[in-house]
Amino acid sequence: MRMVESWVFTDSAVPASAATALDVLQERIAAGHLETWLTSSRGRSLAVISNTDRAMVMLLDDEADPGEHALSPGASSSSSGFLLANGQHDEYPDEDTVPLAEAMRIVSHILTTGAPPTDAPWAIDR
């Protein structure tokens, strides 16, 4: 029997179903909280770091794991404005981020199935 993985927002321990997580993520981004972490019942972490247009979506097995992340293959520029909770401002190549709508689709799929959508380009950083 397969154990169902559940997720919570790391900074509040609020349960995160796929539907509620997207609403909370959109509210957080609109309010300027551009870094969000979720933790699963299996100890995995899911990060969404946005600049309001694009997002870095990362999935990590544990704290020491370099993880994996969503890609936009062929994107050739970079974007700034990724504000971390510690005040750090990051800039990422667009190839390593995805448009915000795509990030929401990927997050929903991970929260529902435990894995990124098979049609979403993905980099393994391990």
Side-chain angles (χ1 to χ4, degrees), residues 56-110:
M56 166 77 72
V57 179
M58 300 180 295
L59 184 61
L60 296 82
D61 285 340
D62 57 48
E63 286 184 18
D65 182 27
E68 49 194 78
H69 70 277
L71 295 174
S72 292
S76 59
S77 59
S78 63
S79 297
S80 60
F82 295 90
L83 178 62
L84 303 183
N86 67 2
Q88 178 177 320
H89 290 262
D90 281 352
E91 180 175 326
Y92 301 122
D94 285 347
E95 187 170 49
D96 287 326
T97 63
V98 294
L100 193 54
E102 175 66 356
M104 295 300 175
R105 182 182 80 89
I106 291 168
V107 167
S108 177
H109 198 273
I110 291 170

Side-chain angles (χ1 to χ4, degrees), residues 12 19-20 54 58 66 85 104 118:
S12 65
T20 60
R54 300 185 68 81
M58 300 180 295
M104 295 300 175
T118 57

Side-chain angles (χ1 to χ4, degrees), residues 23-78:
D23 289 341
V24 171
L25 277 170
Q26 289 172 343
E27 289 170 8
R28 290 175 65 106
I29 291 168
H33 302 286
L34 303 180
E35 179 181 6
T36 299
W37 287 83
L38 296 102
T39 304
S40 86
S41 56
R42 291 179 37 205
R44 298 192 306 158
S45 296
L46 176 61
V48 179
I49 304 169
S50 178
N51 69 352
T52 71
D53 293 322
R54 300 185 68 81
M56 166 77 72
V57 179
M58 300 180 295
L59 184 61
L60 296 82
D61 285 340
D62 57 48
E63 286 184 18
D65 182 27
E68 49 194 78
H69 70 277
L71 295 174
S72 292
S76 59
S77 59
S78 63

